[in-house]
Amino acid sequence: MCTTTIEMVSYRLKAGVSIEDLRATHGAVNDFCLAQPGFLYRSVSQDEHQTWFDVVYWKTMDDAKAAGESFMQSNIGQVLVNLIDNTTMQMRHMLADAEAYPQMLAIYTNHGTNQTQQL
C-alpha cells in the first residue's frame, strides 16, 4: 500500500489579479515546500477555463496536513491566499494507488535540494 499523498488545490484568481501576480509567488511557495518534511514534488498548471491546479506530492498524509497548516500561517501562504477567489478553491488529499517514484528520482536529480527546476 502506498503512503504517498497527493494534495490537489484548484482555484481561480480574484478579478484583477494577473497571471504574473500568481507566478511571482511560485519561487517562495517552492522554497516553503522544499523546507517541509516529506515534500516530494510540486507543479502548477492552468486549464482552458482559467482554473489553476496546484498539485503537491508528500511522503505521507501527516506530512501533507502538517505542511498545509504551516503554509496557512506563513507569509507566502497569506500572499497566495489573497490572490485566490476563495469561492472557487477546492482542496483534496488522496493516497496514491500506484506510483513510479524511483524513476522520477532518476529524472529529477535536484530532488531534495533548494533548487527548483524551471520547466
Side-chain angles (χ1 to χ4, degrees), residues 95-108:
L95 291 177
D97 191 57
E99 55 191 343
Y101 184 69
Q103 290 82 351
M104 185 179 79
L105 282 179
I107 295 168
Y108 294 97

Side-chain angles (χ1 to χ4, degrees), residues 42-84:
R42 175 179 184 247
S43 67
V44 180
S45 59
Q46 182 186 38
D47 71 8
E48 68 276 8
H49 304 290
Q50 288 71 52
T51 299
W52 288 90
F53 297 88
D54 197 327
V55 182
V56 185
Y57 285 75
W58 301 97
K59 287 183 182 177
T60 68
M61 184 69 74
D62 288 342
D63 292 335
K65 291 188 176 190
E69 289 175 21
S70 294
F71 185 73
M72 294 309 293
Q73 302 301 317
S74 71
N75 288 337
I76 190 56
Q78 293 306 304
V79 169
L80 184 57
V81 165
N82 285 327
L83 301 178
I84 294 172

Side-chain angles (χ1 to χ4, degrees), residues 6 41 66 90 95:
I6 303 160
Y41 177 80
Q90 294 184 12
L95 291 177

